[in-house]
Amino acid sequence: MRPLAIGLLPAATGVLLIGALAGGSLGCCRRDVFRFVLGTGIGVGLASECYFLGLVTGSPGLLLEILLFFAAGIGAVWNRKNAKWRCCETSFPETKPRTGGDRLLTRCLAWAFALLLFLDLAVFVSMSARNPRGGWDAWAIWNLRAHFLYRNGGAAWRDAFTELLAWSHPDYPLLLPAFVARGWRLLGRESSAVPIVLAGFFTFGCAGLMAASMAILRGARQGLLAGLALAATPWLYAQGAMQCADIPVAFYRLATLAAMAMADRFNSRGLAVLAGVAAALGGWAKNEGLLWLGAFLLARMMVARLRLIPAFLTGALPVLAPVLFFKAHIATSSDIFGAAARSGMMTRVLEPARYGLIVREAFVHAWNFGPLPVSAFAILIVYAAVTGLRRRENRDRAILHTGVLALSLTTVGYFTIYLLRPLDLGWLLDTSADRLLLQLWPGIVFVIFLACRAMRSSGRGSVRPVLGSGDAGRCGTC
C-alpha cells in the first residue's frame, strides 16, 4: 500500500487539480493521456513542496498532501457540471484519414513511436541497472540532499545547506531531493527504486506530454511526429537514467508551453493557471527553471500584454513562495553571485575571448547534439523547410511568438551565466552545454511542430504537407 501511495497520491491530486481548474467531466476521454501526464508532473512537484513545508513547520508533509488532494477533489466535483473540457471537442478535418494511405501513415507513425519508446526503455533500464544511484550530479547533489532530508530529524536536515558542502551546490532547489526523501519516508527505508522511477516518469513523460498535447492542438499525426522527435533523441534517455534535474526542468518547460497554448486556443483561464504552476515548479527543480519563469513571463507580456497573465500569476505565485523562502532563509549563496564570484566579474565580462569561446562551443555542441549521425537541430530545420509554416488562420500566433521569445531569452540567460561564472570556461562548457541544450530541446520541438503544417499521404505512396490550419469540431468521445 505504501509503495502505491508514493506515486498514486500525487498523480490523483494533479489530475483532480486539472479537473478543478480546467473543468470537464470526471469520465474518460481520449485526451486523458495529456491530463494524466501533466497532472502527475504537477502532483509530484506539489508533493515535494508539501514535504519541504512539513520539514520547515514541523508538521507531517503527508497531511498537507491529503488536504490538497481533498481540496482538488472538491474543486473537480464542483466544476464537473461546467461545459465539457474544450480540448475534448477538438478535431482536425485536414488530418483525418481520408485515404487508405492516410490510415497507413498514422499506423506506421504509431508503431514507430512505440518501437522507439521500447528501445528507449531498454536503454533506460540497462543504464539504471548499471548505475542505480545515477550519475555524479545525482550522487553528489540530488540524492545526497535527499539523504539529509530523510535521515536527520528535527532541524538537523538544515545541515545539508552549509558552505562546507559548497561543492554540492546547496543553493539548488529541492524538487527531486524532497520527493525522493518523501518516498523513502513512506517506504520506511532508503531505496534506489524511488529516484529511478521518478527519473523514468520525467524522462518518458516528456515524450508522452509532447505527443498528447500536440495531438490535441494539431491532430494525431502531428502529435506522433513530435513524440517521435523526442523518442529519437538518445541523449534524453541516457541523461534521464543519470537522474539529473535537467530532465524535470525540460518537462516543466514543455508543460508551460503546452498548457498556455491550450489556454490561448480555448480561452481557458484555468489552463493558464496550470501553465503558471508548471513554470514555477520548474524553478523548484533547478535554478535554470527560475530563469525560464522570468523569461516566459516577460515574453508573454511583450507578445500578448496582460492577456491571461493574472491567471498565470495566480498559479505561479503560490508555488513560487516556498522556492523564495528556501532561497532567502535556507540556501547558501550561489557560486555565480556570491562574494567570491563578484571578484573579477567585470574582467570576465570585458574579455572578448570568452564571447568567442561560448559561441563556438555552442555551435559545436548543437551540431553534435543527440548524439545522431546528423544534428537533431538540423533535422528539425529540414522538416520545417519541407513542410512550411502555417500562415493562414494560425490561431496559435500568441503562444508561438511567446515560445520563440522565451526560449531565446533563456538562451541569452545561459550565455550570460557562462560569461559570469568564475570557473574554467572550457571545462564548464564541455560539462554542461549538452545538458542546457537538453533543457531547451522539448520546448524547441514543441514550437516547431506547432508552427509547421501537418503531413498527409497524397494517396500515391507519397506524403505532402497540408495547407489548412484546422477547425474545431466535436470529437464525439466525451
Side-chain angles (χ1 to χ4, degrees):
M1 189 66 180
R2 285 185 174 184
L4 291 177
I6 295 174
L8 287 184
L9 182 58
T13 300
V15 171
L16 288 174
L17 187 62
I18 291 177
L21 292 172
S25 169
L26 297 181
C28 295
C29 165
R30 67 188 178 101
R31 309 302 188 189
D32 278 345
V33 173
F34 173 79
R35 286 194 279 199
F36 173 76
V37 178
L38 177 63
T40 301
I42 288 175
V44 165
L46 295 179
S48 173
E49 288 200 335
C50 286
Y51 186 83
F52 170 71
L53 292 175
L55 289 175
V56 170
T57 61
S59 59
L62 185 60
L63 177 61
L64 297 177
E65 278 190 66
I66 293 173
L67 292 175
L68 183 61
F69 169 79
F70 279 108
I74 292 171
V77 172
W78 181 267
N79 209 21
R80 76 187 188 280
K81 294 182 180 180
N82 288 354
K84 292 178 181 179
W85 204 41
R86 296 185 64 189
C87 300
C88 299
E89 298 179 355
T90 303
S91 64
F92 303 86
E94 83 278 16
T95 58
K96 285 182 178 179
R98 299 177 181 176
T99 67
D102 285 331
R103 287 188 288 271
L104 179 61
L105 174 61
T106 302
R107 291 195 187 101
C108 288
L109 289 174
W111 279 106
F113 185 46
L115 177 61
L116 280 178
L117 285 181
F118 177 78
L119 295 175
D120 294 330
L121 179 61
V123 170
F124 182 89
V125 170
S126 175
M127 294 187 67
S128 297
R130 290 199 306 268
N131 301 285
R133 298 183 184 276
W136 168 256
D137 279 8
W139 183 87
I141 302 175
W142 312 113
N143 291 339
L144 172 67
R145 207 84 71 234
H147 288 299
F148 273 95
L149 300 183
Y150 170 70
R151 294 179 183 179
N152 295 353
W157 59 272
R158 293 174 180 261
D159 294 341
F161 309 96
T162 170
E163 295 291 352
L164 295 175
L165 296 175
W167 52 271
S168 70
H169 296 285
D171 64 301
Y172 281 4
L174 298 178
L175 187 146
L176 292 182
F179 191 85
V180 170
R182 166 197 175 274
W184 289 343
R185 183 72 62 188
L186 290 175
L187 202 59
R189 60 184 175 85
E190 295 178 7
S191 170
S192 298
V194 176
I196 289 174
V197 172
L198 180 61
F201 164 74
F202 280 117
T203 303
F204 290 90
C206 284
L209 185 62
M210 177 70 74
S213 60
M214 196 59 62
I216 292 173
L217 292 164
R218 296 298 316 285
R221 281 193 295 283
Q222 198 76 344
L224 288 169
L225 281 169
L228 273 168
L230 291 190
T233 309
W235 183 241
L236 173 66
Y237 302 92
Q239 280 298 299
M242 293 295 99
Q243 302 171 25
C244 64
D246 302 287
I247 307 301
V249 169
F251 176 90
Y252 287 117
R253 285 183 185 175
L254 176 59
T256 304
L257 290 169
M260 187 57 82
M262 293 185 197
D264 279 337
R265 175 74 69 86
F266 306 115
N267 195 29
S268 168
R269 286 196 280 281
L271 285 166
V273 172
L274 292 170
V277 172
L281 285 176
W284 182 233
K286 206 176 181 186
N287 289 339
E288 290 93 316
L290 294 173
L291 172 62
W292 167 255
L293 174 60
F296 186 87
L297 185 59
L298 177 59
R300 179 70 187 186
M301 293 179 70
M302 292 174 66
V303 169
R305 297 190 179 180
L306 296 179
R307 183 172 183 269
L308 296 178
I309 289 295
F312 181 86
L313 291 176
T314 299
L317 291 179
V319 178
L320 192 61
V323 186
L324 298 179
F325 177 86
F326 168 77
K327 288 288 187 180
H329 299 287
I330 297 174
T332 62
S333 60
S334 167
D335 62 352
I336 302 174
F337 302 108
R342 289 195 297 269
S343 175
M345 183 176 287
M346 286 307 299
T347 302
R348 294 190 292 275
V349 171
L350 297 175
E351 186 178 345
R354 293 178 71 87
Y355 291 82
L357 180 59
I358 294 170
V359 172
R360 184 171 66 252
E361 287 298 311
F363 276 105
V364 169
H365 284 271
W367 180 256
N368 295 323
F369 180 77
L372 296 168
V374 180
S375 171
F377 290 96
I379 295 173
L380 271 191
I381 292 172
V382 171
Y383 174 82
V386 170
T387 60
L389 302 180
R390 294 188 296 155
R391 298 186 185 277
R392 295 179 299 170
E393 301 179 10
N394 190 342
R395 297 166 293 169
D396 302 311
R397 283 194 181 93
I399 188 59
L400 285 173
H401 293 168
T402 300
V404 170
L405 185 54
L407 290 167
S408 300
L409 291 172
T410 303
T411 303
V412 172
Y414 289 163
F415 184 96
T416 305
I417 291 170
Y418 276 129
L419 201 61
L420 297 179
R421 287 194 76 172
L423 298 173
D424 180 77
L425 185 57
W427 172 84
L428 190 60
L429 287 162
D430 189 53
T431 56
S432 64
D434 284 335
R435 291 188 288 112
L436 293 184
L437 287 172
L438 189 59
Q439 293 179 10
L440 295 169
W441 178 241
I444 293 172
V445 172
F446 180 87
V447 169
I448 290 293
F449 278 90
L450 187 62
C452 288
R453 295 168 178 164
M455 302 297 294
R456 183 167 66 85
S457 172
S458 66
R460 296 185 295 271
S462 60
V463 175
R464 61 181 175 85
V466 179
L467 300 181
S469 63
D471 300 309
R474 295 189 66 84
C475 68
T477 57
C478 293

